[in-house]
Amino acid sequence: MTTSETQATDQAGYERGVGAGAGSARLAEPCRSLVPVILAGGSGTRLWPMSREQFPKQLIGVVGPDSLLQATVSRMKGFPGDWKVAAEPIIVCGEEHRFTTEEQVRASGVAARIVVEPARRDTAPALTLAAALAFANGEDAIIVAMPADHSIADIPALHAAIAIAAKHAEAGAIATLGIPPTRPDTGFGYIRLGGALDDGAHQIDRFVEKPVAELAAQYVAAGTYWWNSGIFVVRASVWLAALERLQPEMHSACVAAVKGGRTDGAYLRPDAAAFGRAPSDSIDYAVMEHVGTPSAPCAGVVVPLVAGWSDLGSWDAVWDAMEKDESGNVASGRVVFEGATSSYARSEGGRLVACVGTTNIIVVETDDAVLVADRSRVQDIKGLVARIREQHAPEADTHRKVRRPWGFYDSIDHGERFQVKRIVVTPGARLSLQMHHHRAEHWTVVCGTALVTRGEEQFLLSENESTYIPLGVKHRLENPGKVPLEIIEVQSGSYLGEDDIVRFDDTYGRCN
Amino acid sequence: MTTSETQATDQAGYERGVGAGAGSARLAEPCRSLVPVILAGGSGTRLWPMSREQFPKQLIGVVGPDSLLQATVSRMKGFPGDWKVAAEPIIVCGEEHRFTTEEQVRASGVAARIVVEPARRDTAPALTLAAALAFANGEDAIIVAMPADHSIADIPALHAAIAIAAKHAEAGAIATLGIPPTRPDTGFGYIRLGGALDDGAHQIDRFVEKPVAELAAQYVAAGTYWWNSGIFVVRASVWLAALERLQPEMHSACVAAVKGGRTDGAYLRPDAAAFGRAPSDSIDYAVMEHVGTPSAPCAGVVVPLVAGWSDLGSWDAVWDAMEKDESGNVASGRVVFEGATSSYARSEGGRLVACVGTTNIIVVETDDAVLVADRSRVQDIKGLVARIREQHAPEADTHRKVRRPWGFYDSIDHGERFQVKRIVVTPGARLSLQMHHHRAEHWTVVCGTALVTRGEEQFLLSENESTYIPLGVKHRLENPGKVPLEIIEVQSGSYLGEDDIVRFDDTYGRCN
């Protein structure tokens, strides 16, 4: 008999825990509004070499052509019943990923409010920024907070679980989706179930940290523990009140950051000084581990989610989440299996990847790095990345293809005194007005139209035309057209580092 | 008791087997001349993706910076004793590999006679071309025939074995080097030992084809079988006489091909029509399997070679032949091992290759293909290559970097209507005078100096200069300098295939 089984199971009971939070007065009012909040601040390397510090997992199409972020922003589409899902989800992301985040969301045809975290502070402050923003709207909506880097196969099942969770949230609980475990995984936190509710949900007895293997096996055998999915459904006011009680410093820092925030183009920028005062902590530690204890700020409910959920937390998990051929293999891109079994191979850089007689092997090929790992040892990738980072190998953190606010460039070849890049400029975008001390540049347009500034001149270049930018001459590249501009740039000079650049003017504020 | 133990062991006894061959009369004369003959006609794919039809194993630095061919041409340097080793080895290679063969040999500082086989006919005709050529010199020298694609670690031990073999060859035997086996390998032919001679050699009882596993184990257990190394030491006259008796058609075809041959720059070209009449066969089948039988044309002797020999016949054999770290791993190029054991990883295309927790895994990364194979399954690579060839994947037979008589090009990037190549032209070399119907070209010199012909003009371009070749204009690229010329070529057009080329003039005879 768990401690929480003695708690009342009626929903009215939730309210007593809410306390004196900002929005507690409104709990009696019904609420049918759901605001998706997407936590897109991750920067892990467990899916290296695809995910890197500068291009993390949520921005990658891990299980399909869409990135995980794109799949996540579209996940609430077609939500059933009489719930009203906000047209604009709130996305919280890091400064260094804001351009790609915005670009991907736009490509998905979704309008979103993108909150750029001034600093990394883990998930609790991120969710609090979103809650304060949602609440600032004047409406005490129900937040549906989802990590941007998970995959869920069965969307109707997800919607059904969220609808149940939202009912509990409407009544004042913090609801979370729990995954009934299929194996004693040590990579997840677990939720110990309290009393059963009549809709399949349970009260939360308590949150448990990632267990050791033996404990994980006991949890799974007991049948009274579910995995913590990281998906939370809670009224903005309830979250804010809970945080105010449990983490007053974080609460005031985040609320002040939103109050002092500003709009910057497509982005919402909370006040950096205020946000900087927020301690770094996860939703689980900051709030959820108090649920079910005497200090609980409100009731906690866990709703089961059986919907092909995966946190894609390792290449092994990716293999597990994908459809396999009759030998248990998963191929992505130009891959050939010859007598391979239970292997995952991915060709991302376009090379032909051939696996001969491999068993339980992960192969991930990218432009500049190839990973070959035993499926049982994928947790060591983290250590590997740390090691190559120590050796200052750029492959640890950056891709060969480098995203910029105006598009991207790819370093396709280099020698001692030259470097060749393919540069792709988004329609309407332009690079900074710049100059190099040590290199000249030859540009050949291979697709689209370029507007070139060279010294005092300005001229158009179209496909199959080229120009030359001598060393020391101010220049700018711009795409005035409606299709992407692609140029091949041959740099020639004695020093070819990215830091040989003097910026005179920049649309994206990169002059200082 | 083997049949050959009844044979005489004195060297004088060899002569009786020689028969009425072209050179038999000379056997009484002493001979101290050794002519290295390098059989470089191989084109296997067992080391794919490094070795390919168009760039086979002998041209690759499999175990070190030098290619196996380069290591082989230098192998007789410093041969001890009063033997006179010919300064110019004879190399027999295929038509499609002649430029690279010549270039590599020249880079090694060796002058060689390069015999270009007009067609593929296996090793027996190749050796016969070399023997006829050696004998045509007027001197009945001793041929030391070696495959171009093996590795031998201990050169003094090799020399000692060849010296013993040469003594037997001088007296009229066909001597071969045999490797005392270290495991029941089914990938080699075996030689059954006959009577022991007083210098460690044995008479050859008989040659045995590649055995099944059980038989191989019996051979190794018996201690009376050695591996066939493919290294033969024999007087030119003795070989020719043996062939004349056993394979008269092959003999006359090869002798006529050499007689009717011509010199073509650095190459000796046997008469194609005559050589075309030679049946295709290996040295083993055509001659050696008759040694020890009543039809034997001469005596056969096998000399033991314990010198770190490897035929590098598979990636597993390559791993076996290399020095390993304390975990049994072998790294070549930018490779990181994290908890890997008994693995071989090679980065040839410059990408970072990371192996995490792999055991007995082979990883070979090249510009356009990545192989990952279980060490126990490397024999399946042959089937893999056949499969991808059926799918018309270019990676089956050609490399991204394509060798040409004037240098090479590397296709570094491509899009729908453009292609970027790095072109490297050897000093003094020039491409054909040519024209394209469907593409224009932009050239930027990044190293060296180019002499450009464009329509009626001719001009020099040096580093950091560029030019444009419009569609339909005759042009030629030439390196008039002393250092390699490197240019970046951006091709732009609706069709970019290699076959859109009209050649008007070519130094290398490629106009028709």
Side-chain angles (χ1 to χ4, degrees):
Chain A
M1 185 155 162
T2 67
T3 52
S4 52
E5 278 169 16
T6 58
Q7 290 182 6
T9 60
D10 60 318
Q11 298 188 5
Y14 301 157
E15 209 168 326
R16 64 178 173 196
V18 171
S24 58
R26 308 233 187 136
L27 277 188
E29 297 169 21
C31 171
R32 312 306 290 171
S33 293
L34 303 180
V35 177
V37 170
I38 294 158
L39 303 173
S43 65
T45 53
R46 289 190 292 176
L47 296 192
W48 185 90
M50 287 289 296
S51 74
R52 303 192 189 178
E53 188 76 15
Q54 290 198 1
F55 203 72
K57 185 178 146 204
Q58 66 270 16
L59 302 178
I60 298 167
V62 177
V63 292
D66 282 356
S67 75
L68 296 174
L69 171 69
Q70 289 175 315
T72 308
V73 294
S74 302
R75 203 166 270 155
M76 292 294 280
K77 274 186 194 161
F79 197 85
D82 59 348
W83 296 96
K84 186 177 151 276
V85 179
E88 296 193 349
I90 297 173
I91 299 173
V92 187
C93 73
E95 174 79 17
E96 63 278 43
H97 310 133
R98 68 189 191 282
F99 292 117
T100 313
T101 298
E102 193 244 327
E103 190 187 304
Q104 290 194 352
V105 171
R106 186 158 31 87
S108 291
V110 174
R113 288 187 281 172
I114 299 176
V115 180
V116 181
E117 288 179 293
R120 283 192 191 169
R121 286 292 186 273
D122 212 336
T123 48
L127 180 55
T128 309
L129 290 177
L133 196 66
F135 197 68
N137 258 2
E139 191 196 15
D140 184 18
I142 295 168
I143 285 171
V144 180
M146 296 181 282
D149 59 352
H150 293 176
S151 77
I152 296 170
D154 185 347
I155 298 301
L158 172 72
H159 288 172
I162 290 176
I164 293 171
K167 276 196 166 177
H168 292 285
E170 187 186 10
I174 298 188
T176 178
L177 304 191
I179 317 290
T182 49
R183 59 180 185 273
D185 203 299
T186 58
F188 300 124
Y190 284 69
I191 299 168
R192 180 163 150 164
L193 306 184
L197 304 174
D198 57 9
D199 52 7
H202 281 254
Q203 290 190 309
I204 292 171
D205 180 33
R206 60 185 170 90
F207 267 58
V208 213
E209 289 187 52
K210 292 176 185 175
V212 295
E214 204 183 341
L215 214 48
Q218 286 175 21
Y219 290 171
V220 174
T224 51
Y225 289 82
W226 290 346
W227 292 336
N228 175 9
S229 73
I231 301 175
F232 296 95
V233 183
V234 62
R235 274 194 158 189
S237 63
V238 171
W239 176 262
L240 291 170
L243 201 79
E244 187 173 20
R245 182 149 128 208
L246 296 168
Q247 313 288 345
E249 205 184 344
M250 189 188 293
H251 176 270
S252 66
C254 294
V255 168
V258 168
K259 213 169 266 176
R262 64 189 171 91
T263 302
D264 168 23
Y267 312 110
L268 300 167
R269 290 188 174 276
D271 182 69
F275 190 72
R277 288 192 293 272
S280 181
D281 211 349
S282 70
I283 294 172
D284 293 4
Y285 280 119
V287 174
M288 297 314 289
E289 296 208 340
H290 300 270
V291 170
T293 69
S295 67
C298 63
V301 171
V302 56
V303 178
L305 176 66
V306 180
W309 171 91
S310 173
D311 78 334
L312 305 174
S314 68
W315 283 117
D316 187 41
V318 173
W319 173 83
D320 201 54
M322 304 282 288
E323 206 174 308
K324 294 156 197 74
D325 68 15
E326 65 282 358
S327 306
N329 298 318
V330 177
S332 168
R334 294 191 67 209
V335 169
V336 188
F337 290 112
E338 179 87 20
T341 50
S342 305
S343 293
Y344 174 93
R346 179 171 188 134
S347 168
E348 197 65 24
R351 268 150 223 94
L352 180 68
V353 172
C355 295
V356 177
T358 57
T359 301
N360 294 326
I361 290 287
I362 301 283
V363 182
V364 182
E365 180 267 355
T366 67
D367 281 335
D368 55 358
V370 178
L371 169 74
V372 180
D374 193 273
R375 267 182 47 220
S376 68
R377 299 288 294 279
V378 288
Q379 75 284 358
D380 297 347
I381 292 173
K382 216 173 158 161
L384 166 85
V385 175
R387 237 179 88 205
I388 61 176
R389 186 176 290 141
E390 274 167 28
Q391 295 163 9
H392 304 290
E395 294 85 357
D397 295 318
T398 58
H399 279 280
R400 203 186 75 169
K401 194 191 236 185
V402 178
R403 271 81 179 177
R404 290 286 189 238
W406 43 259
F408 69 86
Y409 68 81
D410 187 6
S411 301
I412 57 178
D413 198 12
H414 61 93
E416 221 173 286
R417 292 172 50 84
F418 75 93
Q419 183 165 214
V420 187
K421 287 181 177 178
R422 177 146 66 108
I423 298 178
V424 178
V425 186
T426 312
R430 58 185 195 167
L431 281 68
S432 62
L433 180 66
Q434 56 189 241
M435 186 265 276
H436 312 290
H437 288 298
H438 302 290
R439 67 178 189 246
E441 294 176 348
H442 299 257
W443 296 348
T444 304
V445 175
V446 292
C447 183
T449 301
L451 176 60
V452 176
T453 305
R454 186 177 64 173
E456 300 304 307
E457 304 168 88
Q458 232 189 21
F459 51 89
L460 289 170
L461 274 189
S462 57
E463 192 178 306
N464 195 25
E465 294 184 333
S466 63
T467 191
Y468 172 63
I469 312 290
L471 180 157
V473 170
K474 269 192 206 180
H475 57 277
R476 170 171 246 162
L477 179 64
E478 200 166 339
N479 182 355
K482 299 289 179 206
V483 298
L485 162 68
E486 286 186 55
I487 74 162
I488 303 298
E489 174 181 272
V490 180
Q491 300 179 352
S492 177
S494 53
Y495 177 76
L496 302 166
E498 276 304 303
D499 54 347
D500 174 21
I501 186 165
V502 184
R503 289 202 174 97
F504 300 97
D505 175 52
D506 184 44
T507 310
Y508 314 101
R510 299 173 303 161
C511 271
N512 37 11
Chain B
M1 184 154 163
T2 69
T3 52
S4 53
E5 275 168 17
T6 58
Q7 292 183 4
T9 60
D10 60 317
Q11 298 188 6
Y14 300 157
E15 210 168 327
R16 62 179 175 192
V18 170
S24 59
R26 312 237 185 132
L27 277 188
E29 297 169 18
C31 170
R32 312 305 289 170
S33 291
L34 303 181
V35 178
V37 170
I38 294 158
L39 302 174
S43 64
T45 52
R46 288 190 293 176
L47 296 192
W48 186 90
M50 286 290 296
S51 73
R52 303 192 190 180
E53 188 76 16
Q54 292 197 0
F55 203 72
K57 185 178 146 206
Q58 66 269 18
L59 302 178
I60 298 167
V62 178
V63 292
D66 282 357
S67 76
L68 294 173
L69 171 70
Q70 290 176 313
T72 308
V73 295
S74 302
R75 204 167 270 154
M76 292 294 282
K77 274 187 193 160
F79 197 85
D82 58 349
W83 297 96
K84 187 178 152 275
V85 178
E88 296 193 350
I90 297 174
I91 300 173
V92 188
C93 73
E95 175 79 16
E96 63 277 43
H97 309 133
R98 67 190 192 282
F99 292 117
T100 313
T101 298
E102 192 243 328
E103 191 186 303
Q104 288 194 354
V105 171
R106 185 157 32 85
S108 291
V110 174
R113 289 188 281 173
I114 299 176
V115 180
V116 180
E117 288 180 294
R120 283 192 192 170
R121 287 293 185 271
D122 212 335
T123 49
L127 179 56
T128 308
L129 290 177
L133 195 67
F135 197 68
N137 259 3
E139 190 196 16
D140 184 18
I142 296 167
I143 284 171
V144 180
M146 295 182 283
D149 59 352
H150 293 176
S151 79
I152 296 170
D154 184 348
I155 297 301
L158 171 72
H159 288 172
I162 290 175
I164 293 170
K167 277 195 164 175
H168 292 285
E170 186 186 13
I174 297 188
T176 179
L177 305 190
I179 317 291
T182 50
R183 60 180 185 274
D185 203 299
T186 58
F188 301 125
Y190 285 68
I191 300 167
R192 180 163 151 164
L193 305 183
L197 305 175
D198 58 8
D199 53 7
H202 281 256
Q203 290 191 306
I204 292 170
D205 179 34
R206 60 184 171 92
F207 266 56
V208 211
E209 289 188 51
K210 291 176 186 175
V212 295
E214 206 183 339
L215 215 51
Q218 286 175 21
Y219 290 172
V220 174
T224 51
Y225 290 81
W226 290 347
W227 292 336
N228 174 10
S229 72
I231 302 174
F232 296 95
V233 183
V234 62
R235 274 195 158 189
S237 64
V238 171
W239 176 261
L240 291 170
L243 201 79
E244 187 173 20
R245 180 146 131 210
L246 296 168
Q247 312 289 345
E249 205 183 344
M250 189 187 294
H251 176 270
S252 67
C254 293
V255 168
V258 168
K259 213 169 265 175
R262 64 190 171 87
T263 301
D264 167 24
Y267 313 109
L268 300 168
R269 290 187 174 278
D271 182 70
F275 190 71
R277 288 191 292 273
S280 181
D281 212 350
S282 70
I283 294 172
D284 293 3
Y285 279 118
V287 174
M288 296 313 290
E289 295 208 341
H290 299 270
V291 170
T293 69
S295 66
C298 64
V301 171
V302 56
V303 178
L305 175 66
V306 181
W309 171 91
S310 172
D311 79 332
L312 305 174
S314 68
W315 283 117
D316 187 42
V318 172
W319 172 82
D320 202 54
M322 305 284 287
E323 206 175 308
K324 294 156 198 71
D325 69 14
E326 64 282 358
S327 306
N329 298 318
V330 177
S332 167
R334 295 191 67 209
V335 169
V336 187
F337 289 114
E338 179 85 22
T341 50
S342 305
S343 293
Y344 174 93
R346 177 170 189 136
S347 167
E348 198 66 23
R351 266 152 225 93
L352 180 68
V353 172
C355 295
V356 176
T358 58
T359 300
N360 293 324
I361 289 287
I362 301 283
V363 182
V364 182
E365 180 267 354
T366 67
D367 281 335
D368 56 358
V370 178
L371 169 76
V372 180
D374 193 273
R375 268 183 45 220
S376 68
R377 299 287 294 280
V378 289
Q379 76 283 358
D380 297 346
I381 292 173
K382 217 173 158 163
L384 167 85
V385 175
R387 236 179 87 204
I388 61 176
R389 187 177 290 141
E390 275 168 28
Q391 296 164 8
H392 304 289
E395 295 84 357
D397 296 318
T398 58
H399 278 281
R400 204 186 74 168
K401 195 191 235 184
V402 177
R403 272 81 178 176
R404 290 286 188 240
W406 42 259
F408 69 86
Y409 68 81
D410 187 7
S411 301
I412 56 177
D413 198 12
H414 62 94
E416 222 173 285
R417 293 173 49 85
F418 76 92
Q419 184 164 213
V420 187
K421 287 180 176 178
R422 177 147 65 109
I423 297 177
V424 178
V425 186
T426 312
R430 59 184 195 165
L431 281 68
S432 62
L433 181 65
Q434 57 190 240
M435 187 265 278
H436 312 291
H437 287 298
H438 302 288
R439 66 179 190 245
E441 295 176 346
H442 299 257
W443 295 348
T444 305
V445 175
V446 293
C447 184
T449 300
L451 176 59
V452 175
T453 305
R454 186 177 65 175
E456 300 304 309
E457 305 168 85
Q458 234 190 16
F459 51 91
L460 289 170
L461 275 189
S462 57
E463 191 177 308
N464 195 23
E465 293 183 335
S466 63
T467 190
Y468 172 61
I469 312 290
L471 179 159
V473 170
K474 270 192 204 180
H475 58 277
R476 171 170 247 162
L477 180 64
E478 201 166 338
N479 181 357
K482 300 289 179 207
V483 299
L485 162 67
E486 286 186 54
I487 75 162
I488 303 299
E489 174 181 272
V490 181
Q491 301 179 353
S492 177
S494 53
Y495 176 77
L496 302 166
E498 275 305 303
D499 53 348
D500 175 20
I501 187 165
V502 184
R503 288 202 176 96
F504 301 97
D505 175 52
D506 185 43
T507 309
Y508 313 100
R510 298 172 304 161
C511 271
N512 35 13

